[in-house]
Amino acid sequence: MTISIQWAELARAAKAASEQAYAPYSKFPVGVAVQAKSGKIYTGCNVENASYGGTICAERNAIAAAVVAGERQFVGLMVYTPQDQLTPPCGICRQVIAEFFTPDSPVRSCNHLEQQQEWTLEQLLPSAFTPLFLANSKKF
C-alpha cells in the first residue's frame, strides 16, 4: 500500500510549529512536521537552552511526540525555517530520523518564500547505522 505524503499540510504544520519555537539564543526558530505511516501528522519545534547541549531540535521533538503516541514508522518529514536559505536537518537529527525512516524516505525543507528542496535520507546520511543495518550485517 502506497501512502500519499501530504506535503502541503506538512509545510503548514511545520510553519505553525516554528512559531512556537523557543530560540532566544540563536534567534533561529525551526518547525518540523512528520507524517507517520498511519497518515497522522506530528509536529515539533526547537527548544533552546543556555547550555547548548541541552537544546532539543524540532526534528527530534516531532519524532518523539509521534513515538509517545505509538508511531514507529514514518513516510515524510518537512523542516520549516523563516529564512531565505533552505535548511536540512542537523547531523544528530539525521541519525534519529534514520531510526524510523527508510533510506529512500523523502525529507524536505521549506521556507517563508514557499521554496522547497527534497533529499532522501540516504543522501543526508549515507550508510546509516540503524537497527535495520545491524539486522542485515554479518556477525563478527
Side-chain angles (χ1 to χ4, degrees):
M1 177 171 108
T2 303
I3 308 279
S4 177
I5 300 173
Q6 302 168 36
W7 290 115
E9 181 59 30
L10 287 171
R12 282 190 294 276
K15 181 179 181 193
S18 77
E19 294 167 2
Q20 300 305 315
Y22 178 72
Y25 306 103
S26 71
K27 308 287 191 254
F28 187 71
V30 180
V32 167
V34 295
Q35 182 178 335
K37 193 173 181 181
S38 69
K40 292 182 182 176
I41 293 175
Y42 299 87
T43 61
C45 63
N46 56 321
V47 180
E48 293 182 349
N49 190 286
S51 173
Y52 279 166
T55 294
I56 304 168
C57 296
E59 294 87 340
R60 290 184 283 150
N61 265 334
I63 291 170
V67 168
V68 167
E71 304 285 3
R72 297 292 186 273
Q73 296 179 319
F74 301 90
V75 296
L77 183 144
M78 177 72 78
V79 177
Y80 173 87
T81 57
Q83 64 172 25
D84 293 351
Q85 184 175 343
L86 293 164
T87 308
C90 74
I92 193 169
C93 288
R94 292 176 191 199
Q95 181 61 48
V96 172
I97 293 165
E99 290 288 321
F100 299 100
F101 288 73
T102 61
D104 62 341
S105 292
V107 174
R108 286 190 184 183
S109 178
C110 65
N111 63 11
H112 68 105
L113 300 172
E114 298 186 12
Q115 298 170 323
Q116 290 191 16
Q117 184 172 353
E118 181 174 303
W119 305 268
T120 64
L121 179 56
E122 177 69 23
Q123 289 172 315
L124 293 174
L125 188 63
S127 303
F129 183 75
T130 66
L132 181 62
F133 170 84
L134 293 173
N136 293 320
S137 67
K138 295 180 180 180
K139 303 288 183 211
F140 305 7

